[in-house]
């Protein structure tokens, strides 16, 4: 019933976005992006920022592309429906660019160096792209090793906590003791205990990602319906089969909740750890540019961090939907 309502609502929203064969939101978005280009080029900057013409060119190209899509969007099939869904966002983005340019570069209400117009951020990417890529690579290496180490240990520990009463007797009090403590609170101890800041940062990322995975995995294994085990034992299943084929699959929705939590926590701790001792990385870049009051660089890096984190979350959603597709309609996510 709910699925039918959702489809009907989606169909109505798509139909209201059209005026005959023309996608009207595409035309509105094209006009908004063109307005932002006119505002950027027609009014002088209070102080020079650089890359203004490049930004105007990108806005005009975007406006032309949106205007073209307005008359041919239906030919794109599923991709076109995805673009239609974000039509209002494309309109809002163009209007935001225009307003952003006005209050920063043109009127100076949000002055330099504390705030930057859009073309100021674009200038950062054009001028400092090599250092930004190096920092992204360093952060990706640190996060990948730390995150996957943490979730592997957390998953194994969570299964053991949920399955074994003896292991839970000794392990759960320890987990409850250190779990509420933010991983960043361990920074002084880790920097003393580990020989390098890289290893200390690895431990912090692993700790931040592993604890929620362990807690949620243990909760998932412990909440499996006991009748599943009884049926499997009746069919001759041993303990290994019960863990691998019954407990873990049934606990996967809880595991993915822990993975989402661990991803956010690990990313936040990663940036803080890099601020304190790393030679490169996203956190280091923020700290370095803040020290020189280069706030445009700081905002440019914050956008990259937001895109990276949201991309990882989206990827995790895709993995979850692939692995847990068989549980739709059976388990509430």
């Amino acid at each position: 019933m709910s699925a039918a309502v959702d489809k009907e609502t989606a169909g109505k929203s798509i139909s209201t976005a059209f005026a005959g064969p023309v996608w009207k939101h595409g035309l509105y978005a094209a006009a908004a992006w063109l307005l932002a280009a006119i505002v950027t080029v027609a009014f002088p900057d209070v102080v020079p920022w650089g890359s203004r013409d490049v930004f105007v060119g990108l806005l005009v190209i975007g406006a032309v592309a949106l205007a073209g899509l307005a008359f041919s969007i239906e030919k794109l099939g599923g991709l076109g429906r995805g673009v239609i869904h974000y039509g209002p966002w494309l309109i809002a983005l163009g209007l935001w660019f225009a307003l952003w340019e006005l209050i920063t570069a043109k009127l100076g209400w949000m002055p330099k160096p504390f705030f930057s117009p859009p073309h100021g951020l674009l200038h950062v990417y054009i001028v400092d792209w090599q250092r930004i890529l190096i920092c992204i690579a360093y952060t990706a290496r640190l996060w990948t090793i730390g995150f996957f180490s943490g979730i592997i240990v957390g998953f194994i520990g969570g299964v053991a906590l949920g399955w074994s009463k003896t292991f839970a007797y000794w392990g759960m009090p320890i987990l409850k003791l250190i779990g509420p403590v933010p991983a960043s609170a361990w920074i002084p101890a880790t920097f003393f205990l580990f020989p390098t800041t890289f290893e200390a940062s690895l431990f912090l990322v692993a700790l931040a990602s592993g604890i929620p995975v362990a807690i949620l995995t243990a909760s998932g294994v412990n909440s499996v319906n006991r009748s599943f085990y009884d049926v499997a034992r009746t069919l001759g299943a041993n303990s290994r089969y019960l863990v691998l084929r019954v407990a873990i699959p049934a606990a996967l929705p809880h595991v993915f909740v822990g993975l989402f939590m661990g991803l956010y926590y690990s990313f936040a701790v990663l940036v803080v750890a890099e601020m304190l001792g790393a030679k490169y990385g996203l956190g280091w870049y923020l700290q370095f540019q803040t020290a020189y009051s280069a706030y445009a660089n700081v905002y440019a890096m914050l956008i990259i961090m937001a895109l990276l984190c949201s991309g990882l979350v989206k990827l995790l959603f895709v993995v979850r939907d692939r692995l847990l597709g068989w549980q739709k309609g059976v388990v509430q996510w």
Side-chain angles (χ1 to χ4, degrees):
M1 181 66 180
S2 61
V5 173
D6 292 340
K7 289 182 179 180
E8 182 180 354
T9 304
K12 290 181 179 179
S13 63
I14 291 176
S15 63
T16 56
F18 282 86
V22 180
W23 178 40
K24 59 183 181 181
H25 284 169
L27 292 178
Y28 296 156
W33 285 52
L34 189 59
L35 173 64
I38 293 173
V39 169
T40 304
V41 75
F43 300 96
D45 292 347
V46 176
V47 292
W49 285 95
S51 301
R52 188 193 68 170
D53 294 339
V54 178
F55 181 65
V56 171
L58 292 175
L59 287 175
V60 172
I61 292 173
V64 171
L66 288 169
L69 286 173
F71 295 95
S72 60
I73 192 71
E74 292 182 322
K75 298 179 182 179
L76 299 180
L79 178 61
R81 288 191 293 271
V83 176
I84 291 171
H85 175 73
Y86 289 103
W89 277 101
L90 293 172
I91 299 171
L93 186 61
L95 295 176
W96 168 242
F97 280 148
L99 178 62
W100 189 359
E101 281 285 339
L102 275 176
I103 64 179
T104 53
K106 310 307 177 183
L107 299 177
W109 292 349
M110 303 176 73
K112 189 177 183 178
F114 303 104
F115 300 97
S116 170
H119 65 272
L121 301 184
L122 178 62
H123 185 67
V124 171
Y125 297 134
I126 294 175
V127 173
D128 208 21
W129 65 271
Q130 290 179 322
R131 185 187 300 179
I132 291 175
L133 287 179
I134 292 173
C135 290
I136 292 174
Y138 270 75
T139 295
R141 180 186 64 159
L142 176 59
W143 179 85
T144 301
I145 298 174
F147 178 75
F148 284 99
S149 299
I151 64 173
I152 289 172
V153 174
F155 177 74
I156 296 174
V159 172
L161 288 169
W163 181 260
S164 171
K165 293 183 178 179
T166 303
F167 195 86
Y169 174 81
W170 294 101
M172 192 58 74
I174 298 175
L175 192 61
K176 290 180 178 179
L177 180 65
I178 65 175
V181 180
S184 56
W186 299 98
I187 287 178
T190 54
F191 279 6
F192 174 78
L193 295 174
F194 290 90
T196 64
T197 55
F198 180 77
E199 294 176 356
S201 300
L202 279 180
F203 174 79
L204 291 173
V205 173
L207 184 67
S209 58
I211 287 180
V213 172
I215 293 175
L216 269 299
T217 301
S219 174
V221 172
N222 196 44
S223 62
V224 175
N225 194 327
R226 298 301 164 185
S227 62
F228 296 167
Y229 298 135
D230 295 338
V231 172
R233 288 192 183 98
T234 302
L235 297 175
N238 55 22
S239 296
R240 180 181 177 184
Y241 186 95
L242 292 176
V243 173
L244 297 179
R245 298 299 182 88
V246 179
I248 291 178
L252 281 180
H254 293 77
V255 175
F256 273 95
V257 174
L259 287 175
F260 282 111
M261 295 174 61
L263 193 155
Y264 283 116
Y265 294 159
S266 65
F267 210 83
V269 171
L270 166 68
V271 173
V272 174
E274 286 182 336
M275 283 182 175
L276 298 178
K279 295 181 179 180
Y280 279 104
L282 301 181
W284 171 87
Y285 189 90
L286 292 176
Q287 184 78 0
F288 178 80
Q289 300 297 343
T290 302
Y292 289 93
S293 299
Y295 296 113
N297 298 66
V298 173
Y299 298 140
M301 184 57 76
L302 288 176
I303 292 175
I304 291 177
M305 290 168 56
L307 291 175
L308 288 175
C309 190
S310 61
L312 291 170
V313 171
K314 176 62 177 179
L315 180 61
L316 191 55
F317 269 115
V318 172
V319 174
R320 185 203 68 171
D321 292 342
R322 290 290 182 88
L323 290 179
L324 301 185
W326 61 275
Q327 291 188 347
K328 284 187 177 181
V330 178
V331 178
Q332 184 69 34
W333 290 355

